[in-house]
Amino acid sequence: MGKVVGEVVIGIGLLTIFTGIVGLIRFTKFRHRILICTLSDTVGTAVVLLGIMIRQGTGFFSLKTGIILLAMLIVNPLIAHRLASTACGNERDREVK
């Protein structure tokens, strides 16, 4: 039963990532693209890793996957924020001059 639930959760995560790819193509402004990429990448990857943890059951592998998940949930939004603030800061400088 855990393997089936894990596969379904992994499928939902992959669908979320695919939806982010479609949003990347759809939106034209950089700020919108970085928002969509960050959200879909973070949520999609988190759901895929949770699906892998469910599929594998309890054990050392799930613990390692959980640590990777925790690190990704902390680091990914911080990097995206730094990238977006740097790009938007440069954009504001060009508009003012």
Side-chain angles (χ1 to χ4, degrees):
M1 184 69 180
K3 291 188 186 265
V4 174
V5 173
E7 295 289 335
V8 169
V9 173
I10 291 171
I12 291 170
L14 293 175
L15 184 66
T16 304
I17 293 171
F18 179 73
T19 304
I21 294 170
V22 172
L24 179 66
I25 295 169
R26 183 175 172 262
F27 290 109
T28 57
K29 292 189 177 184
F30 176 76
R31 282 178 258 144
H32 297 151
R33 285 184 172 187
I34 196 80
L35 175 70
I36 293 300
C37 286
T38 303
L39 288 175
S40 67
D41 182 40
T42 303
V43 172
T45 307
V47 172
V48 167
L49 288 174
L50 283 174
I52 291 171
M53 289 171 65
I54 291 170
R55 190 172 189 279
Q56 292 297 322
T58 59
F60 190 63
F61 181 79
S62 293
L63 177 67
K64 291 190 292 185
T65 307
I67 292 170
I68 293 170
L69 175 65
L70 183 64
M72 187 216 46
L73 287 175
I74 293 170
V75 171
N76 195 15
L78 292 175
I79 292 173
H81 172 73
R82 177 53 91 185
L83 179 66
S85 66
T86 302
C88 291
N90 291 339
E91 183 179 305
R92 277 188 246 131
D93 291 342
R94 277 186 253 138
E95 291 174 358
V96 171
K97 292 181 181 179

